[in-house]
Amino acid sequence: MSRAPAILLSPVVLAQARRLRREVPHLDPPPPPWTGATVGGALQPEARRLVVLGDSTAVGTGVERAEDALAPRVAAILADTGIDDGRGVVWTAVGEHGATADRIRGAHLGDAVAERPHVAVIAAGWNDAMHLRSPRAYAGDLREMVRELRDARHGCRIVLLAPPRFGAFPGLPQPLRRALGRASEGLVRAAARVAREERTALARGFDGASTAADGFHPDAAGYAALADGIRRALRSR
């Protein structure tokens, strides 16, 4: 057994995890439909298509307005920086609050592939860390998602959003923060390996610095920071 699972099985950590689940308020993502367009994008037959696929981060848990979530912020960046070639961006968020990477791949990848995106962001890892999924299994799911999205459209630009850096979350008590931090670090390394092998961009995960009312998910400023990290990742490739 690796060190992180051993720590997480300690009575103190388990008690903290139960208390956290009991006391943290449940937040829902903004109501669907999770789709939209930049100015002029919906009117352009050749508009660039953006898909953000993943877990609660993909569907905007933590904000009330869809426009404050990750997908529309990334779409605005694509338009502002000219990556859309002036054609506008149509964006779609696909995913599920609480989903691990295998659930995302099995239940939602088909919908993302059907969009035939020019740019795709894969946001997975929060729940994989909390469920102590192995880095190898997590990496396999990421790799499959990358390859199917590439098969859907040649030249699709893909960004992997790294798992959150739970070890930096100020709202998590110790030793739970340390235990989840170790679990997420292994997944971050796995995501970086997939990014290298598949030649995709990798953006830094959420650091917990600007959270919603639950002290866990990003708020509007948190999503803006994630979108800026995706912008940097796209520029680096």
Side-chain angles (χ1 to χ4, degrees), residues 136-233:
R136 172 183 251 179
Y138 169 72
D141 292 322
L142 287 185
R143 189 173 287 107
E144 184 66 22
M145 288 189 271
V146 167
R147 291 178 179 178
E148 289 204 28
L149 286 164
R150 279 214 179 112
D151 286 344
R153 184 184 290 276
H154 178 71
C156 176
R157 301 181 68 178
I158 299 173
V159 180
L160 301 182
L161 180 60
R165 290 169 280 155
F166 281 134
F169 275 43
L172 290 177
Q174 295 287 15
L176 179 62
R177 186 197 311 176
R178 185 179 307 113
L180 285 177
R182 289 184 179 275
S184 63
E185 285 169 6
L187 299 185
V188 170
R189 289 192 293 270
R193 185 169 63 252
V194 172
R196 285 194 308 271
E197 294 171 354
E198 299 296 328
R199 298 187 178 183
T200 69
L202 179 70
R204 284 171 64 84
F206 186 52
D207 62 2
S210 189
T211 61
D214 62 357
F216 195 65
H217 288 94
D219 60 6
Y223 280 115
L226 286 177
D228 187 62
I230 291 168
R231 175 185 64 81
R232 294 171 185 268

Side-chain angles (χ1 to χ4, degrees), residues 72-98:
R73 290 185 178 276
V74 175
I77 286 171
L78 297 181
D80 290 345
T81 57
I83 296 176
D84 67 337
D85 295 328
R87 301 176 185 182
V89 181
V90 175
W91 61 266
T92 303
V94 179
E96 179 184 348
H97 180 103

Side-chain angles (χ1 to χ4, degrees), residues 26-109:
H26 175 77
L27 299 180
D28 292 317
W34 299 323
T35 187
T38 60
V39 175
L43 303 177
Q44 288 277 3
E46 298 300 322
R48 297 304 187 188
R49 304 198 70 84
L50 164 70
V51 166
V52 177
L53 167 68
D55 51 28
S56 56
T57 314
V59 298
T61 299
V63 296
E64 296 181 358
R65 305 185 310 163
E67 56 263 39
D68 290 329
L70 186 61
R73 290 185 178 276
V74 175
I77 286 171
L78 297 181
D80 290 345
T81 57
I83 296 176
D84 67 337
D85 295 328
R87 301 176 185 182
V89 181
V90 175
W91 61 266
T92 303
V94 179
E96 179 184 348
H97 180 103
T100 52
D102 57 333
R103 168 69 181 175
I104 296 164
R105 178 179 57 81
H108 302 290
L109 177 59

